[in-house]
Amino acid sequence: MGDKDKVTDTIVDEYGGCEINFNTSPVSFNFHPKFIRSPWQDVCICSKDGDLLFYSNGCEVLNKEDQQMENGDSLNPGEIHDGYCQSIGYIWAQNIFILPDSYDDSLFYLFHIDLVFNREPGAPFLVQSEDLYYTMVDMRYNNYHGKVIEKNSIILKDTSMLGDPMTAVKHANGMDWWIITPNRWTNSFNTILMDQTGPHFVGRQYIGMVPDGIRTGGQGKFSPDGSRFAWYHRRGGLFLYDFDRETGTLSHFQNIIIPPCDEAITGGCEFSPSGRFLYVNHDTSLFQLDMLAPDIQASLTHIADYDKFIDPLPTSFYYMERTPDKRIIMNVLNGTQWLHVIQEPDKKGLACRFEQHAIKLPTVNNFSLPHFPNYRLGALGDPLCDSLTVATQNPLPFHEINKYTIVPNPASEYFYIETPVWSYGTTTTVSVYDLFGHMMITTKEHGVNTSNLIDGIYIVSIRENNKPVQNSKLLINKS
């Protein structure tokens, strides 16, 4: 939020952006004077150190210095963009997120769905989804401030898309991604696969019950291990499915009845960090479900009702997100500075300690809570699937701006380490580890023979003068 045309702001007030820093203890909240409005759509991506790389309000892409990224204008072109972007940013809820490219740590894909006005005679709703796009960012440009190198590329054009929720989960191979979004008028889901060739539509699956297409979709989430998908719809209750990360298909549909609220606008859902419990809410109530219960419906536990707190507007319930410190935060339906918190979401019933208006932000938040897929999920069966770290000295985070490039990747018999600027006088050591942390290869050569490695995912660790500088994933595929 804020005035895009304003260059400086000397007035201390409650409007602007807010950064939540989970690298401090306790968690800290920092004012961020961003110059775009984003009360609805708000998406960002950081390095694993927590350093901001870029963000978007669905209208444009801004770099870490809060400047429009090169070629970062005019996302989601059309009437909605022209009518709303100058005033409040792009509208709608869970239909935008960012995925890192698993094969090139400098590339990021922004997935977004646009809206068009519904001009059918007697249309039951004002707007509908039309295009599912991707926009690609390469962070190697402009002194690592990034550049949009491909924009508004259509993956799927279909006005029957519900649009929200849209979310993603890692493929069983730990490298590719599945993206799904439901249909408005049928019991189907559109499935997109993002692999080393980029994102592409792979098909539509029909399963479960047909939602009420006149209503918005509500929030949808994958469990931390990707084995389940949950979607709350205010007129249909909770739709719960098993998910196969190998094939990208849903199965074992269950419709869990959630006590209704006739005046509810929407609602959310979120899994606990272990995946044991699922939390579901509409505007005025929060519930817990036990995913290990023989009868999940019977495990439904009422946690709390909205306590009518107002400051300056009602802080009724909206969407939820898991946090790196193993809590769940919930934002509100109006412009206030408060967040609700489930303090211990892996505990049963009221022991989960749901605290309303537990966190006061330095700025007003209105609807915008970024959606983050589980970036740390690894290959199916990988014991490191929720950490993506290597058992080496001084491990480094992934998806940072990397100096070195691995080519080819995937590799078969050989790969090379390339860098755009060579560091003369620097001793470079390249080590290859399996996902259990065992060193398989170490060399000071920049060409690495991998003929003795079996197919799978490995970690390439690069050190300069015995100082760790980069960890990257490597896929070995000899087939």
Tab-separated table of all heavy atoms in Angstrom, residues 180 253 269 337:
chain	number	residue	atom	x	y	z
A	180	ILE	N	-1.996	-26.973	-9.473
A	180	ILE	CA	-3.395	-27.320	-9.722
A	180	ILE	C	-4.297	-26.136	-9.404
A	180	ILE	O	-3.986	-25.311	-8.544
A	180	ILE	CB	-3.852	-28.560	-8.921
A	180	ILE	CG1	-3.834	-28.286	-7.412
A	180	ILE	CG2	-3.003	-29.774	-9.252
A	180	ILE	CD1	-4.486	-29.403	-6.605
A	253	PHE	N	-11.485	-38.894	-2.374
A	253	PHE	CA	-12.170	-37.648	-2.023
A	253	PHE	C	-13.037	-37.829	-0.777
A	253	PHE	O	-13.726	-38.832	-0.618
A	253	PHE	CB	-13.045	-37.183	-3.186
A	253	PHE	CG	-13.981	-36.072	-2.827
A	253	PHE	CD1	-13.515	-34.773	-2.682
A	253	PHE	CD2	-15.338	-36.316	-2.621
A	253	PHE	CE1	-14.376	-33.742	-2.343
A	253	PHE	CE2	-16.210	-35.293	-2.285
A	253	PHE	CZ	-15.725	-33.998	-2.149
A	269	CYS	N	-7.818	-22.654	5.099
A	269	CYS	CA	-7.403	-23.913	5.696
A	269	CYS	C	-5.882	-23.965	5.712
A	269	CYS	O	-5.223	-23.326	4.894
A	269	CYS	CB	-7.977	-25.111	4.956
A	269	CYS	SG	-7.482	-25.256	3.223
A	337	GLN	N	-4.159	-3.713	11.813
A	337	GLN	CA	-2.753	-4.049	12.023
A	337	GLN	C	-2.565	-5.373	12.749
A	337	GLN	O	-1.455	-5.678	13.185
A	337	GLN	CB	-2.067	-2.926	12.805
A	337	GLN	CG	-1.977	-1.618	12.033
A	337	GLN	CD	-1.354	-0.504	12.852
A	337	GLN	OE1	-2.006	0.458	13.225
A	337	GLN	NE2	-0.064	-0.630	13.132
